[in-house]
Amino acid sequence: MKTKLLVYSFMVFAMLSCNSKKSEVKDGPTTGTISLGVDESFQRIIEAEKVAFRDNYHFANINLLFKPENEAIADLLNDKVRGVVVSRELTDQEKVVFTREKITYRSFKFAADGIALLVHPNNADTLIGLDQLKALLSGKQKSWKSIGASRSGDVELVVDKANSSNIKFLVDLFALGNTGLSVSAAGSNKDVIEHVKSHPNAIGIIGSNWISDGDNPTSLGFIRSVRVMSVAKESSLPKAEFYQPFGYNLALKKYPLRREIKIILKESHLGLGTGFVNYITGDMGQLIVLKSGLIPLTRPVTIRQYQISQ
């Protein structure tokens, strides 16, 4: 009798344990609700991916939290979001958190874009070298004349936010410190564009996916209201070596301020985060990347040259 009672008790305990484990997993590859932290620079491409994913999987709810890159990664480390969309990998110090807690993370590259530099529509000085941009950011040069431009006055560098991926990319590229930068924050990528439209001496720093989608009326409105600068590795290079942050130049890695967008996922089960990543890196998700004027990184891109006779 005691043996039967013990066996029965064990079975009940096992069933309750299984039920509790099942109840912990509230989402699957195409169902449930999760939150993702997204650097605002990548807002347009991720919103497009989310809409398409939701149209296919009606029981999937993905909350997108737009904030500066470092804040998004901090949320990931503190379990406030399931994943983040950023332009950099985790630092060694950030990886320690996962090692200490014995939690694995996965990183998926899915698109390439660039840091776009914008000027006022009436500004004819649209060529800049990386050496000149570094000098302006560090404060060693301040005026348009000092970088070989024809216009007078000081250059006003404008970025979206102090901790965004846009300025972080440039700080890391030029090995600059996080303090003493000659930049001002407008608040968002859209606000940067609006600021440049009304300030003739400004250079706006934004993510190129805000102006790269030729089929999107908003993107078209942005690109028509400003001028996009062409960038070279050195200001002394010939004009043919200056490139803009659009498809062909990004695909062939000619644009000097090219970067890669990735999703870092903190998910130990086959959940909604994994399902969303599989969609973005799959055929349909990569078509959305291409349509947005960015470069797909998980599918081949064919480049054809045409000669147009006039």
Side-chain angles (χ1 to χ4, degrees):
M1 183 67 180
K2 289 182 179 179
T3 303
K4 291 182 179 180
L5 183 62
L6 287 172
V7 170
Y8 177 76
S9 299
F10 176 78
M11 290 176 64
V12 171
F13 176 77
M15 291 174 64
L16 289 174
S17 298
C18 291
N19 288 336
S20 64
K21 288 180 180 179
K22 288 181 180 179
S23 63
E24 290 176 3
V25 180
K26 297 181 180 179
D27 61 279
T30 58
T31 59
T33 300
I34 63 170
S35 294
L36 294 178
V38 183
D39 185 274
E40 190 209 21
S41 178
F42 310 125
Q43 178 176 343
R44 300 194 67 80
I45 178 63
I46 291 301
E47 283 183 336
E49 296 281 9
K50 174 190 170 181
V51 169
F53 183 75
R54 187 72 170 77
D55 286 344
N56 285 276
Y57 307 106
H58 303 298
F59 298 103
N61 298 298
I62 300 175
N63 300 318
L64 302 178
L65 308 178
F66 300 106
K67 54 183 59 183
E69 185 174 73
N70 286 344
E71 292 182 18
I73 291 178
D75 285 349
L76 178 69
L77 299 179
N78 293 317
D79 289 326
K80 294 181 179 179
V81 294
R82 184 72 62 84
V84 292
V85 181
V86 293
S87 64
R88 67 172 177 87
E89 292 290 353
L90 298 178
T91 64
D92 291 338
Q93 187 176 2
E94 291 164 346
K95 291 177 183 178
V96 168
V97 176
F98 290 92
T99 304
R100 184 175 62 244
E101 298 179 2
K102 296 181 180 181
I103 299 174
T104 58
Y105 74 91
R106 292 171 290 164
S107 179
F108 306 87
K109 297 177 181 178
F110 69 93
D113 82 334
I115 298 294
L117 305 179
L118 312 178
V119 293
H120 191 272
N122 294 333
N123 191 341
D125 296 305
T126 58
L127 302 181
I128 191 169
L130 291 185
D131 53 320
Q132 295 170 326
L133 179 59
K134 180 180 179 180
L136 291 172
L137 282 168
S138 63
K140 292 181 178 179
Q141 301 291 348
K142 295 183 178 180
S143 68
W144 283 97
K145 295 288 187 183
S146 67
I147 60 171
S150 60
R151 64 186 301 110
S152 58
D154 288 344
V155 178
E156 180 191 5
L157 291 175
V158 185
V159 73
D160 50 344
K161 292 178 181 177
N163 293 323
S164 72
S165 62
N166 295 332
I167 191 63
K168 184 69 168 59
F169 177 86
L170 297 177
V171 167
D172 292 343
L173 177 66
F174 298 131
L176 301 173
N178 290 324
T179 59
L181 297 176
S182 296
V183 296
S184 57
S188 68
N189 284 262
K190 181 179 178 181
D191 291 336
V192 171
I193 298 171
E194 295 298 328
H195 186 88
V196 170
K197 285 165 57 177
S198 58
H199 291 75
N201 281 336
I203 294 180
I205 301 170
I206 68 168
S208 66
N209 77 102
W210 279 82
I211 55 173
S212 60
D213 189 349
D215 295 328
N216 186 288
T218 303
S219 291
L220 285 174
F222 287 153
I223 194 65
R224 289 169 180 169
S225 63
V226 294
R227 301 188 74 177
V228 182
M229 300 189 81
S230 298
V231 184
K233 293 181 179 179
E234 292 287 342
S235 57
S236 58
L237 291 173
K239 188 175 181 180
E241 296 296 318
F242 287 76
Y243 302 99
Q244 290 185 319
F246 299 120
Y248 180 82
N249 299 328
L250 292 174
L252 296 183
K253 300 183 179 181
K254 291 179 176 291
Y255 186 65
L257 299 179
R258 179 186 183 272
R259 62 182 177 176
E260 294 179 342
I261 310 172
K262 54 184 65 69
I263 295 183
I264 300 176
L265 195 62
K266 186 180 181 181
E267 188 171 77
S268 58
H269 65 285
L270 189 61
L272 184 53
T274 302
F276 190 50
V277 166
N278 288 341
Y279 183 84
I280 290 178
T281 57
D283 290 338
M284 291 304 298
Q286 292 293 281
L287 280 175
I288 294 172
V289 170
L290 188 62
K291 178 187 174 299
S292 299
L294 306 183
I295 302 303
L297 293 182
T298 67
R299 293 295 184 272
V301 176
T302 302
I303 298 175
R304 295 187 177 91
Q305 292 183 339
Y306 296 92
Q307 184 174 0
I308 301 175
S309 57
Q310 296 182 354

